[in-house]
Amino acid sequence: MKTIGLTVSALLMASTAMAEVQTRTLTFENEGATLSGTLYLPEDHDGARLPTVIVTGAWTSVEEQMPAVYAEAMVERGFAAFTFDFRGWGKSGDLPQNVRFVESPEAKVSDIRAAISFVATLPEVDVDRISGLGICASAGYMVDAVAGNDLIDRIGLVAPWLQNAEIVDAVYGGAEGVDGLIDMSRAAEAAGGQIIPAAGPLGAEGVLMPMGGYYYEPDRGAIPAYDNQWNNAGWEGWLTYHPADNPQRLDKPLAIVHSDAAAIPQGVRTFLDGFAGEATAQWLEDVTQFDFYDNPEDVTRAADVVADHFRG
């Protein structure tokens, strides 16, 4: 792996002209379902084909959350951008058997691939300059979706959640905790699903992610568009998904922005250690996972890194 380091001071010196953004709702198909997406363009777009970034977000998220934040940031930096809701989430259609709210890596990878093929048909898109930007959990999905895909030029990952079996055990209560969640997953799937709230404030009961910050603050992630649902049938697919151990499949130039104060930085280092290609790695100090989602200063720094990478 060839790694290019960027300094924080250099990032802070970068200037970006703010641009007005126009959006257009579009739909596309994948595996029998209709997915809803949004194309972001400069307000004064003259019809020219633009380099384009497909942006995907954290687990359980909808496109109006952190994907929209980074899509607008990409437009401000001279790109078109595209976001969408995965099957079973937000405005998009269901997974097979009318299932919703399952965090399925396999399904989400398939949806990203379908989005890439769809975006390549749009008249506003420079088909030779399409990049993928994955945030948090969708970082691994994005890697899988762009690997070997001739339509994709480059990939960027912001605050990537790249796990392996060791990290899964550490996060989810060791082998016993993981086995218990997998048993729960199989029972929920057999019952046709078991849906609980995805997030709630500290001390709440019956939630997947009892946490302060982003997911339950209305001016942040708890927007009306957010489903705030989790299907326990999704545990097995998520816990057995180990993208940190499979960097060798990626054949695109890579940029990563992360922080030791954010989620599972050890997974990022494991991934980078096994990646044989060219990588730009920017480590920011004292930036939390949620700050990467919507804190203006941190979004600006992350967007500057990936935009520079996408320009080549």
Side-chain angles (χ1 to χ4, degrees), residues 54-61 66-67 86 103-105 108-109 112 116 132-147 154-163 238 241-247 249-250 252 254-258 263-264 267-268 271 289 293 306:
I54 297 170
V55 187
T56 56
W59 69 341
T60 82
S61 65
M66 71 292 293
F86 291 101
E103 189 66 34
S104 167
K108 288 193 169 185
V109 170
I112 296 172
I116 292 168
L133 173 56
I135 303 165
C136 191
S138 72
Y141 311 156
M142 185 63 73
V143 168
D144 284 341
V146 308
R154 291 169 174 265
I155 180 175
L157 308 177
V158 172
W161 183 289
L162 298 171
Q163 63 187 21
W238 169 252
Y241 181 61
H242 301 151
D245 288 340
N246 296 297
R249 67 198 184 286
L250 182 61
K252 313 295 179 189
L254 167 67
I256 288 180
V257 186
H258 206 48
I264 58 169
V268 175
F271 187 92
Q289 192 75 9
Y293 296 170
V306 294

Side-chain angles (χ1 to χ4, degrees), residues 56-262:
T56 56
W59 69 341
T60 82
S61 65
V62 292
E63 64 165 324
E64 292 88 353
Q65 293 172 308
M66 71 292 293
V69 171
Y70 278 87
E72 292 182 1
M74 291 298 101
V75 172
E76 291 167 0
R77 288 156 177 78
F79 299 85
F82 186 74
T83 65
F84 65 95
D85 284 332
F86 291 101
R87 282 177 294 156
W89 303 92
K91 302 178 297 301
S92 288
D94 297 342
L95 289 162
Q97 285 79 55
N98 301 316
V99 168
R100 295 190 68 79
F101 313 125
V102 168
E103 189 66 34
S104 167
E106 180 181 5
K108 288 193 169 185
V109 170
S110 176
D111 290 345
I112 296 172
R113 288 174 178 153
I116 292 168
S117 296
F118 172 68
V119 165
T121 70
L122 300 177
E124 299 88 351
V125 172
D126 182 347
V127 72
D128 294 321
R129 300 180 65 192
I130 302 174
S131 297
L133 173 56
I135 303 165
C136 191
S138 72
Y141 311 156
M142 185 63 73
V143 168
D144 284 341
V146 308
N149 192 324
D150 292 339
L151 292 172
I152 291 292
D153 184 33
R154 291 169 174 265
I155 180 175
L157 308 177
V158 172
W161 183 289
L162 298 171
Q163 63 187 21
N164 57 17
E166 180 181 358
I167 292 170
V168 166
D169 281 354
V171 172
Y172 296 102
E176 183 177 352
V178 171
D179 289 344
L181 289 171
I182 289 176
D183 288 344
M184 178 192 296
S185 181
R186 292 173 179 173
E189 185 174 10
Q194 181 185 43
I195 297 171
I196 63 172
L202 290 169
E205 295 182 3
V207 295
L208 169 68
M209 298 178 289
M211 57 181 65
Y214 186 84
Y215 283 100
Y216 76 91
E217 295 182 10
D219 59 343
R220 299 187 73 189
I223 58 175
Y226 180 47
D227 297 307
N228 195 21
Q229 301 287 293
W230 170 270
N231 192 329
N232 279 329
W235 274 118
E236 183 168 15
W238 169 252
L239 294 171
T240 57
Y241 181 61
H242 301 151
D245 288 340
N246 296 297
Q248 65 278 0
R249 67 198 184 286
L250 182 61
D251 57 349
K252 313 295 179 189
L254 167 67
I256 288 180
V257 186
H258 206 48
S259 172
D260 282 319

